[in-house]
């Protein structure tokens, strides 16, 4: 056995946890993406009443299971995405453009 | 020293290559192929370290990564690596190793007195004894650390280089023993991309340490040949000296490859579609009195040293076992020239007739139904006491003299990576050990790693797994491939009888459960008595399994004993969590290139070279390197800042503001978009006008500030703080793209497109009139907060009359490429106009003199516009981001921290940023606010500060006390004043 004398690529140095499929760019390492918020936290999704706004910003359900999340392909095309992610297994089951709807599988 | 314990023949070492090394200052010799441990044993070195707590003498205990005792420091002076397992160190010429945990020498160790005051040092001793009084803990901790220290790391910067690689493959096989090799062969034959890794320098795993025959070849030769064939394939990569240290989500495996040479280690991040764990099994000891004496060794390690390194680990051996595998040790040792005095087998009837016959043929006395009750000797083993045993009964003991005791308490599959992948190991009653449970990721364990210890099982298991994984990856495995044949008739490995510890009659002798961390049987008992009945609690209370070996030989014994005490089955107790790394890895390899100047990317303004010429001292601001001040004429920092700030007040100064965040927003709804992003009233804004704008987060706290310029009917130019550009950009993109996607507005980051100089001071207009053409900068045309265009050497420039200093000032924007030229031209007018370049520090002084807020200083993320006295600029008639949050009643309470100015009563005591404000002249008490910015104002001739004070707006002219114990300053009495210290009417802005 010998050590393969290969050149080292020092590109993005963060630990690549997984690949995400950007609808515009294809498969990219997750270090190019940033999580922004869950879908239920997005402004305009609740009534404008003070209590509803409070709940939207501070009281998210955070249940175990799949969530629709808002991500950005920050170090790529800067497009916004809806990402369906399981918060226990980190499995990402679906990624769509922000103008498309994403549903969570019933658990 | 002569290698008295080295056989003349046999082993896989290269006797032609002699290597010289030092251990504790003494010179030794070994051969190429040795490990540090084998070379030390060859020279008869039994005592290689002292234990963590009791400083007991310790020798080589194992042969692999599980080593709990032979832990050394490598290297000398500034390049010392502590806590290295001697069993993993490849011997190299000139290697320098030192024993640890001893003072002054390993032979005479002062702290070995700990061994005699055991009752004081039981589990939980530190927690119980040293927590009173609490404030002495830091002192206690220092002393304890020194006494119980591990090796010392050098404090000098690491001079080694490391690198990083990423790889993807279909099948990653971890471990190149018999199972791993056949798995790799089968997977590679299908065309799948295969990576095979092994921690050792040479392949084969235990094939190198056992006398086994595969396809008519000695096991290690078969392995070498198989590896050569694999390496010839284009779709297979073989990495030796490579440890798989961690198993992460989605089949990401971390590897550390030890290379040596210019780059010492390489970190691999491999994402594999399928993983085969052929990580083998680890032998475990049995707890009996003094089971840690140098000369007590795991049974398989003993024969391993003989078979791989031709080293006799002793002269006269006793074998103590509860399973069949250790009989091999007796046979191999006898064949290798070691006198085998006895086999002590706790099983009365399980050893098969074949084993009994074999021992009889060899004249090896076999004591069935017996145990070793105690090891004799101190610095080295002198003998063992043996007694007849059955559960609940133990006879009087007799002693056998020996200098080597080979212990086997059974085998534990290395389930670490399986557990890290999310699997939960199951307890197997017949094997008395944990085996991998259900797979949670695409991984499977093969061979000994799942309790299939026999060679034929390993070979077949690997072959099948290789085929299956290839199939799972969509490849067609080669069905004509047959598994290799082994001619050896094997011993059974499943006939184990559980024996975790031997009851001891001696009160003083210690039975170690965790030899590395000096956790004895009585510590486990104590923990149980005190109610620590969860294995996780047991671990933390006794430190069982918390050493650098992570309890590879001890964890299972500890939890089995706990199960016994609780009278519960072992599966009910469960295991502790297996966490990465599997073995120690260096911090250096994790950091890789990301150190020193390569930690972060560096951004330089287009005028950077010009600043350098002016002897600028740079400071980081976000990723930018910005001039802090200019040491022209060799002055001091303090003088430079004073001179720079005075020049702006009295004449003219220039500063580089290219680093400001810059955006253009255009489109039919650009105005509507900005109206929602900023709190300000923008309806009166017209082309050519500028507004100071505040952005809030949704919770109503200030997010950023900057200028907002209307260039044309549907076109705007905004600036943001240097450190906040990325956040502001994402914030605006979010609102524009996600929430208000119906708005017709486009946003573009032009930060790097424009270079900008701020020309500030009463004479700034005169300078710019000389430099710019096709423009009118006169006060009547370009009044404060207006914008115009100009030509700079035929190039389009943009002029913003804005000020961050309270003086007449202009921001001149030119395309980036012309930034350096513009700066140079202005600076060359120095002789005529005495233009002074000023840096961030002077800018800060000027800002504080005017009471202008700084994002990050005053606006620290907990502050609303009301807190800063900006209530009047908020347009509550419209909807904007943060309006909801701002509406919360608590944010309007009168005693919220509010922006004020502070002046020392004596007019000279300095006030420091971060100092706390109190109502009384004391260093301790209830804080009513803090200093957010501070400066020594040259124009005012006294120290001044901005602060956030509870209800500060209503406390003008009050005296408060500034407490700054961290700087060792006495409380300073100070007066609460208006935050604007200079030109409060703002006359100078309008010149």
């Amino acid at each position: 056995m010998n050590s393969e004398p290969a050149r080292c690529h020092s590109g993005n140095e963060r630990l690549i946890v997984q690949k995400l499929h950007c609808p515009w760019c294809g498969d990219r390492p997750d270090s190019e993406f940033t999580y922004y918020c869950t879908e239920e936290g997005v402004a305009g999704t609740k009534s404008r009443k003070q209590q509803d706004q409070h709940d939207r910003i501070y009281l998210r359900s955070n249940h175990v299971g799949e969530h629709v999340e808002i991500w950005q392909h920050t170090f790529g095309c800067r497009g916004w995405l809806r990402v369906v992610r399981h918060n226990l297994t980190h499995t990402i089951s679906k990624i769509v453009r922000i103008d498309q709807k994403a549903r969570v599988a019933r658990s | 020293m002569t290698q008295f314990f080295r056989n003349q023949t046999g082993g896989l070492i290269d006797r032609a290559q002699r290597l010289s090394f030092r251990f504790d200052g003494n010179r030794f010799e070994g051969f190429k192929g040795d490990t540090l441990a084998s070379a030390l044993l060859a020279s008869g070195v039994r005592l290689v370290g002292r234990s963590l707590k009791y400083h007991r003498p310790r020798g080589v205990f194992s042969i692999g990564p599980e080593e709990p005792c032979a832990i050394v420091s490598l290297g000398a002076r500034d390049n010392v690596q502590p806590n290295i397992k001697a069993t993993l160190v490849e011997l190299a010429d000139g290697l320098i190793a030192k024993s640890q945990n001893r003072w002054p020498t390993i032979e005479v160790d002062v702290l070995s007195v700990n061994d005699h005051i055991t009752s004081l040092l039981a589990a939980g001793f530190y927690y119980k004894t040293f927590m009173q009084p609490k404030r002495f803990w830091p002192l206690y901790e220092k002393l304890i650390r020194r006494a119980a220290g591990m090796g010392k790391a050098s404090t000098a910067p690491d001079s080694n280089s490391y690198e990083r690689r990423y790889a993807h493959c279909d099948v990653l096989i971890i471990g190149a023993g018999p199972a791993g090799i056949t798995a790799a062969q089968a997977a590679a034959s299908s065309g799948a991309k295969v990576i095979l890794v092994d921690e050792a320098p040479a392949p084969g795993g235990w094939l190198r340490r056992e006398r086994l025959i595969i396809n008519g070849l000695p096991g290690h030769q078969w392995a070498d040949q198989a590896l050569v064939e694999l390496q010839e394939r284009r779709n297979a990569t073989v990495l030796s000296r490579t440890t798989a240290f961690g198993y992460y989500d989605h089949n990401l495996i971390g590897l550390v490859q030890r290379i040596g040479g210019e780059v010492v280690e390489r970190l691999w991040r491999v994402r594999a579609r399928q993983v085969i764990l052929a990580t083998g099994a680890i032998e475990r000891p049995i707890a009996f009195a003094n089971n840690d004496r140098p000369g007590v060794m795991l049974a398989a390690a003993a024969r391993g040293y003989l078979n791989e390194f031709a080293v006799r680990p002793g002269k006269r051996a006793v074998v103590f076992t509860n399973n069949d595998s250790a009989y091999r040790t007796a046979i191999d040792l006898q064949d290798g020239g070691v006198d085998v005095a006895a086999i002590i087998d706790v099983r009365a009837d399980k050893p098969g007739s074949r084993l009994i016959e074999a021992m009889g043929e060899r004249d090896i006395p076999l004591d069935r139904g017996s145990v070793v009750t105690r090891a004799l000797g101190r610095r080295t083993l002198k003998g063992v006491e043996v007694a007849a045993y059955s559960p609940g009964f133990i006879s009087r003991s007799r002693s056998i003299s020996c200098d080597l005791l080979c212990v086997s308490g059974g085998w534990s599959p290395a389930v670490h990576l399986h557990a890290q992948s999310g699997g939960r190991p199951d307890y197997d009653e017949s094997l008395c050990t944990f085996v991998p449970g259900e797979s949670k990721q695409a991984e499977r364990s093969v061979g000994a790693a799942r309790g299939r210890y026999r060679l034929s099982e390993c070979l077949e298991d690997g072959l099948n797994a290789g085929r299956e994984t290839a199939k799972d990856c969509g490849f067609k495995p080669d069905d004509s491939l047959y598994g290799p044949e082994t001619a050896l008739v094997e011993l059974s490995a499943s006939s184990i009888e559980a024996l975790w510890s031997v009851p001891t009659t001696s009160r003083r002798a210690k039975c170690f459960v965790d030899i590395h961390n000096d956790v004895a049987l009585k510590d486990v008992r104590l923990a149980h008595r005190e109610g620590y009945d969860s294995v996780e609690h047991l671990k933390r209370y006794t430190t069982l399994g918390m050493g650098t070996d992570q309890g590879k030989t001890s964890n299972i014994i500890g939890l089995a004993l706990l199960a016994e005490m609780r009278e519960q089955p072992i599966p009910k107790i469960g295991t502790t969590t297996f966490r990465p790394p599997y073995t120690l890895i260096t911090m250096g390899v994790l950091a890789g290139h990301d150190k020193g100047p390569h930690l972060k990317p560096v951004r330089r303004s287009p005028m950077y070279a010009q600043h350098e010429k002016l002897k600028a001292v740079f400071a980081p601001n976000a990723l930018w390197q910005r001039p802090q001040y200019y040491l022209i004429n060799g002055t001091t920092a303090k003088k430079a800042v004073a001179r720079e700030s005075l020049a702006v007040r009295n004449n003219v100064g220039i500063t580089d503001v290219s680093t400001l965040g810059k955006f253009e927003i255009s489109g039919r709804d650009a105005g509507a978009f900005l109206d929602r992003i900023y709190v300000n009233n923008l309806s009166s804004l017209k082309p050519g006008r500028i507004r100071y704008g505040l952005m809030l987060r949704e919770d109503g706290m200030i997010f950023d500030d900057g200028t907002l310029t209307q260039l044309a009917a549907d076109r705007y130019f905004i600036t943001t703080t240097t450190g906040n550009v990325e956040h502001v950009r994402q914030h605006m993109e979010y609102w524009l793209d996600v929430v208000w996607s119906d708005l017709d507005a486009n946003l573009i980051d032009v930060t790097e497109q424009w270079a900008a100089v701020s020309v500030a001071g009463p004479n700034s207009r005169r300078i710019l009139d000389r430099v710019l053409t096709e423009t009118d900068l006169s006060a009547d045309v370009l009044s404060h907060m207006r914008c115009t265009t100009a030509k700079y050497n035929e190039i389009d420039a943009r002029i913003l009359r804005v000020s961050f200093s309270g003086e007449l000032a202009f921001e001149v924007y030119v395309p980036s490429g012309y930034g350096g030229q513009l700066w140079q031209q202005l600076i060359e007018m120095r002789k005529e106009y005495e233009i002074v370049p000023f840096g961030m520090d002077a800018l800060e002084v000027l800002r504080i003199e005017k009471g202008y807020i700084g994002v990050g200083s005053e606006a620290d993320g907990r502050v609303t516009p009301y807190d800063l006295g900006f209530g009047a600029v908020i347009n509550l008639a419209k909807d904007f981001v943060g309006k909801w949050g701002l509406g919360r009643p608590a944010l309007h309470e009168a005693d919220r921290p509010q922006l004020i100015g502070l002046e020392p009563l004596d007019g000279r005591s300095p006030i420091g940023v971060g100092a706390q404000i109190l109502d009384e002249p004391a260093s301790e008490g209830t804080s009513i606010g803090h200093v957010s910015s501070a400066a020594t104002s040259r124009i005012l001739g006294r120290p001044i500060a901005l602060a956030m004070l509870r209800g500060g707006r209503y406390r003008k002219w009050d005296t408060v006390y500034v407490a700054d114990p961290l700087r060792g300053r006495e409380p300073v009495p100070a007066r609460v004043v208006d935050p604007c210290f200079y030109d409060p009417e703002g006359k100078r802005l309008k010149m």
Side-chain angles (χ1 to χ4, degrees):
Chain A
M1 285 211 216
N2 60 0
S3 318
E4 190 195 342
R7 272 170 59 97
C8 168
H9 303 278
S10 66
N12 195 327
E13 304 294 1
R14 226 161 58 87
L15 188 97
I16 300 178
V17 176
Q18 51 183 314
K19 282 187 282 184
L20 302 189
H21 186 85
C22 172
W24 286 282
C25 311
D27 279 348
R28 306 296 305 165
D30 77 343
S31 51
E32 292 185 1
F33 296 79
T34 45
Y35 164 87
Y36 197 81
C37 64
T38 55
E39 194 178 52
E40 56 182 320
V42 173
T45 52
K46 288 264 173 73
S47 88
R48 298 161 70 88
K49 274 191 246 156
Q50 189 86 0
Q51 186 60 47
D52 281 348
Q53 292 293 312
H54 174 271
D55 291 357
R56 172 178 70 80
I57 292 172
Y58 293 108
L59 300 179
R60 314 245 173 109
S61 65
N62 196 29
H63 56 271
V64 171
E66 288 197 326
H67 287 251
V68 180
E69 299 173 335
I70 309 298
W71 288 57
Q72 187 181 23
H73 191 190
T74 318
F75 302 101
C77 65
R78 293 197 81 86
W80 290 86
L81 316 165
R82 281 182 214 277
V83 173
V84 180
R85 187 180 69 97
H86 195 290
N87 63 359
L88 195 67
T89 64
H90 308 311
T91 305
I92 288 177
S93 52
K94 195 169 189 186
I95 301 179
V96 297
R97 286 157 31 184
I98 195 71
D99 56 351
Q100 294 172 338
K101 287 227 169 359
R103 282 242 175 91
V104 166
R106 284 193 184 277
S107 50
Chain B
M1 268 186 217
T2 323
Q3 302 182 42
F4 283 120
F5 289 82
R6 183 88 68 178
N7 282 348
Q8 295 306 310
T9 55
L12 307 179
I13 41 164
D14 181 358
R15 287 181 175 77
Q17 290 197 57
R18 283 174 181 275
L19 306 174
S20 161
F21 69 101
R22 279 179 181 277
F23 177 68
D24 277 348
N26 297 320
R27 206 178 144 270
F28 295 95
E29 263 193 1
F31 294 120
K32 172 100 176 146
D34 261 327
T35 63
L36 177 59
S38 69
L40 287 170
L41 285 172
S43 292
V45 177
R46 307 299 289 266
L47 180 58
V48 294
R50 290 269 174 178
S51 72
L52 187 71
K53 198 154 99 179
Y54 302 121
H55 289 246
R56 283 168 72 102
R58 293 287 163 81
V60 175
F61 189 76
S62 77
I63 198 167
E66 68 273 30
E67 178 61 36
C69 296
I71 293 170
V72 299
S73 296
L74 289 187
R77 285 186 295 276
D78 282 350
N79 195 4
V80 175
Q81 291 217 34
N83 307 335
I84 306 289
K85 293 170 176 57
T87 49
L88 296 181
V89 178
E90 274 180 63
L91 197 67
D93 206 39
L95 183 123
I96 297 173
K98 276 202 178 81
S99 58
Q100 296 184 171
N101 284 5
R102 79 309 192 263
W103 186 84
T105 69
I106 192 165
E107 301 290 333
V108 186
D109 177 52
V110 168
L111 279 166
S112 61
V113 68
N114 283 358
D115 199 17
H116 303 288
I117 49 170
T118 309
S119 54
L120 288 178
L121 291 173
F125 164 68
Y126 299 129
Y127 306 119
K128 289 169 187 162
T129 313
F130 289 113
M131 289 319 281
Q132 300 297 332
K134 237 181 188 158
R135 63 199 163 90
F136 282 168
W137 172 247
L139 173 71
Y140 291 145
E141 193 186 12
K142 222 173 169 179
L143 293 172
I144 293 167
R145 292 260 176 246
R146 189 176 299 164
M150 298 295 297
K152 280 195 180 63
S154 50
T155 50
D158 187 350
S159 55
N160 295 322
S161 299
Y162 304 89
E163 62 181 34
R164 226 169 264 174
R165 261 195 87 165
Y166 299 86
H168 293 263
C169 66
D170 294 309
V171 186
L172 170 67
I173 298 125
I174 298 164
I181 290 174
T182 52
Q185 285 174 327
S189 74
S190 74
K193 195 177 165 197
V194 169
I195 298 179
L196 172 63
V197 304
D198 193 277
E199 65 188 348
W206 278 92
L207 292 176
R208 299 175 63 78
R209 299 169 184 166
E210 305 273 18
R211 297 190 292 173
L212 299 167
I213 305 292
I214 302 174
N215 282 358
L217 290 174
H220 62 92
Q221 278 183 24
W222 171 83
D224 286 340
Q225 208 172 35
L227 261 288
V228 169
E229 282 166 25
L230 265 177
Q231 275 172 320
E232 281 167 2
R233 290 183 160 274
R234 292 187 58 134
N235 60 329
T237 305
V238 179
L239 301 174
S240 61
R241 301 184 172 93
T242 303
T243 304
F245 66 84
Y247 200 129
Y248 302 93
D249 284 341
H250 303 268
N251 267 18
L252 178 81
I253 317 292
L255 312 174
V256 168
Q257 183 184 14
R258 291 167 290 278
I259 307 166
E262 201 176 321
V263 172
V264 175
E265 289 177 341
R266 180 183 293 152
L267 180 70
W268 288 71
R269 283 159 185 172
V270 181
R271 190 176 303 280
R273 293 168 73 186
Q274 296 282 334
V275 174
I276 295 176
L277 300 174
T279 46
I282 294 169
E283 198 170 33
R284 55 178 186 254
I286 296 167
F288 57 87
N290 295 336
N291 57 336
D292 63 324
R293 293 293 184 225
V296 179
M297 191 182 277
L298 290 171
R303 65 178 183 271
Y305 281 113
L306 193 59
N307 292 330
E308 185 169 4
F309 305 107
V311 170
R312 296 186 307 277
K315 290 183 186 126
R316 185 175 154 86
V318 169
V319 176
F320 175 29
T321 186
N322 67 348
N323 66 86
D324 286 352
S325 71
Y327 283 73
R328 277 191 202 154
T329 300
I331 296 169
D332 290 0
L333 287 182
Q334 197 181 50
D335 290 352
V338 179
D339 180 16
V340 180
I343 293 192
I344 311 297
D345 193 330
V346 68
R347 301 169 300 171
D349 26 67
K350 270 200 184 150
S353 54
R354 210 158 42 74
L355 286 180
I356 297 169
E357 272 170 34
M359 294 304 110
E361 279 167 23
R362 288 167 171 271
D363 279 334
I364 298 175
L366 170 59
D367 267 14
R368 285 186 283 163
S370 298
V371 290
V372 169
T373 55
R374 189 145 78 119
L376 305 170
R378 182 162 173 83
R379 280 192 217 157
T380 184
L381 186 73
K382 296 228 165 78
V384 291
E385 286 183 354
V386 173
Y389 168 85
S390 60
F393 165 80
I394 193 153
S395 74
R396 278 181 66 93
S397 60
R398 64 184 176 97
S399 61
I400 305 175
S401 88
C402 63
D403 64 348
L404 175 67
L405 175 65
C406 308
V407 190
S408 179
W411 291 80
S412 309
V415 296
H416 304 68
L417 292 172
H418 163 74
Q420 286 176 21
S421 78
R424 289 236 173 98
D426 292 327
Y427 190 74
D428 185 314
E429 288 286 349
S430 65
L431 295 175
C432 293
T433 192
F434 283 90
V435 294
E438 193 192 325
S439 291
K440 291 287 158 65
Q441 297 198 39
E443 55 88 25
R444 66 196 82 194
S445 301
V446 295
R450 65 169 184 139
R452 306 267 170 112
Y453 302 129
R454 295 158 98 181
L455 179 59
S456 53
E457 288 178 324
C458 288
L459 295 168
E460 199 190 323
D461 218 20
L463 189 74
N464 291 338
R467 281 187 178 144
E468 281 160 32
T469 46
K471 238 183 253 168
D472 290 347
C473 293
F475 292 88
K476 211 169 161 291
D478 180 1
D479 287 332
S480 67
L481 195 73
Y482 286 101
E485 299 278 328
T486 165
L488 203 79
V489 182
E490 285 178 90
L491 307 166
S492 159
S494 58
S495 59
I496 185 171
E497 190 170 295
L499 178 70
W500 310 102
S501 69
V502 176
T504 176
T505 43
S506 162
R507 293 178 124 249
R508 289 193 51 193
K510 294 183 185 72
C511 303
F512 284 101
V513 178
D514 180 344
I515 300 185
H516 181 289
N517 261 6
D518 272 355
V519 179
L521 184 56
K522 66 176 174 46
D523 296 315
V524 179
R525 281 213 188 96
L526 180 72
H528 169 65
R529 270 207 311 279
E530 295 188 352
Y532 292 91
D533 51 8
S534 140
V535 65
E536 295 283 0
H537 292 160
L538 171 75
K539 169 181 167 176
R540 280 152 186 84
Y541 191 58
T542 61
T543 74
L544 182 110
M546 283 170 71
T548 57
D549 64 340
Q550 288 285 290
K552 288 188 177 62
T553 55
S554 61
N555 276 342
I556 188 166
I557 306 179
L559 66 95
L561 290 170
L562 186 67
E564 251 172 46
M565 291 169 202
R566 289 180 56 187
E567 296 174 355
Q568 275 185 326
I570 290 173
K572 268 209 113 158
I573 301 284
T575 62
T576 52
T577 313
F578 293 89
R579 290 192 181 87
Y582 175 65
T583 48
L584 298 186
I585 55 176
T586 58
M587 300 300 281
V589 79
L590 291 178
H593 309 104
D594 299 339
K595 57 181 182 180
H598 305 296
L599 183 62
K600 286 178 183 170
V602 171
R603 298 178 83 178
R604 295 193 175 99
S605 123
M607 302 164 195
Y608 187 85
Q610 279 70 29
H611 301 318
E612 274 188 316
K613 269 189 237 158
L614 294 167
K615 299 203 178 77
V617 172
F618 292 93
N621 185 357
L623 297 176
W624 296 94
Q625 287 293 314
R626 288 186 72 181
Q628 199 176 353
Y629 42 78
Y630 297 84
L631 292 178
I632 307 165
N633 310 333
T635 178
T636 64
K638 209 172 160 185
K639 280 185 188 155
V641 176
R643 174 173 162 267
E644 291 169 19
S645 63
L646 264 188
V648 174
R649 292 273 175 245
N650 296 331
N651 180 24
V652 61
I654 57 172
T655 191
D656 181 356
V657 289
S658 306
T659 62
L660 286 177
K662 301 180 263 310
F663 294 89
E664 278 206 27
I665 296 105
S666 61
R668 196 160 36 87
D669 298 323
F673 168 65
L674 292 174
D675 211 27
R676 297 185 197 179
I677 286 286
Y678 286 98
V679 305
N680 312 67
N681 180 14
L682 302 183
S683 56
S684 58
L685 202 61
K686 289 182 198 131
R689 298 265 172 99
I690 305 171
R691 191 68 40 92
Y692 170 75
L694 270 182
M695 278 183 208
L696 307 187
R697 301 191 309 233
E698 278 211 82
D699 62 2
M701 302 299 159
I702 293 177
F703 175 48
D704 199 57
D705 70 348
T707 59
L708 164 61
T709 306
Q710 187 163 8
L711 299 173
D714 57 357
R715 210 161 145 231
Y716 295 81
F717 175 75
I718 67 165
T719 59
T720 76
T721 20
T722 299
N724 232 357
V725 188
E726 274 305 314
H727 298 117
V728 172
R729 182 178 176 192
Q730 191 178 41
H731 175 81
M732 291 195 293
E733 284 174 343
Y734 163 76
W735 287 96
L736 194 54
D737 296 344
V738 178
V739 187
W740 304 321
S741 50
D742 54 322
L743 289 184
D744 172 18
N746 296 299
L747 167 78
I748 185 164
D749 183 344
V750 291
T751 303
E752 300 215 329
Q753 272 61 44
W754 294 98
V757 178
S758 174
V759 183
N763 291 327
S764 50
R765 188 181 286 121
R766 281 172 57 201
I767 312 288
L768 287 179
D769 279 339
R770 290 273 309 272
V771 178
L772 302 170
T773 54
E774 296 180 33
T775 193
D776 186 351
L777 303 179
S778 63
D780 309 334
V781 179
L782 191 70
S783 58
H784 183 53
M785 297 304 261
R786 286 196 188 227
C787 149
T788 190
T789 57
K791 289 279 184 200
Y792 165 68
N793 291 349
E794 316 279 300
I795 305 297
D796 284 328
R798 197 176 278 170
I799 317 298
L800 272 57
R801 190 174 159 189
V802 293
S803 174
F804 203 52
S805 54
E807 299 295 330
L808 171 69
F810 302 86
E811 280 178 3
V812 182
Y813 290 81
V814 293
S816 286
Y818 296 91
Q821 190 187 331
L822 172 64
W823 178 277
Q824 194 57 34
Q825 194 173 345
L826 290 168
I827 253 339
E828 275 166 12
M829 294 162 75
R830 230 178 344 166
K831 284 177 195 122
E832 217 173 323
Y833 294 96
E834 290 177 33
I835 300 173
V836 170
F838 65 104
M840 286 197 297
D841 281 9
L843 199 62
E844 185 79 350
V845 173
L846 296 163
R847 164 183 87 78
I848 296 166
E849 286 171 348
K850 285 297 293 178
Y852 292 158
I853 65 147
V855 170
S857 302
E858 283 69 38
D860 63 358
R862 302 175 296 175
V863 166
T864 71
Y866 296 115
D867 299 335
L868 300 182
F870 282 143
V873 308
I874 302 171
N875 179 6
L876 287 170
K878 66 170 186 180
D879 211 0
F880 57 86
V881 176
K883 188 179 175 187
W884 164 79
L886 211 51
R888 290 177 294 168
L891 298 183
H892 299 267
E893 281 173 4
D895 72 336
R896 274 188 62 80
Q898 291 155 349
L899 176 67
I900 50 131
L902 273 186
E903 292 178 336
L905 285 189
D906 63 4
R908 58 192 159 76
S909 295
I911 293 176
V913 176
Q916 298 297 311
I917 303 170
L918 287 89
D919 263 327
E920 284 151 81
S923 284
E924 281 183 51
T926 308
S927 167
I928 53 169
H930 70 276
V931 177
S932 50
S933 305
T936 300
S937 167
R938 192 60 193 272
I939 194 92
L940 301 169
R942 62 177 190 271
I944 54 171
L946 299 178
M948 300 301 293
L949 178 67
R950 287 198 166 278
R953 206 174 294 148
Y954 312 98
R955 298 198 55 174
K956 212 155 281 177
W957 310 117
D958 274 9
T959 297
V960 292
Y961 297 87
V962 180
D964 202 352
L966 286 182
R967 290 190 179 88
R969 290 179 186 165
E970 291 297 309
V972 174
R975 188 184 298 116
V976 177
V977 296
D978 193 88
C980 183
F981 295 90
Y982 185 72
D983 183 29
E985 298 87 23
K987 280 184 193 150
R988 304 181 66 83
L989 274 176
K990 301 194 173 106
M991 288 163 82

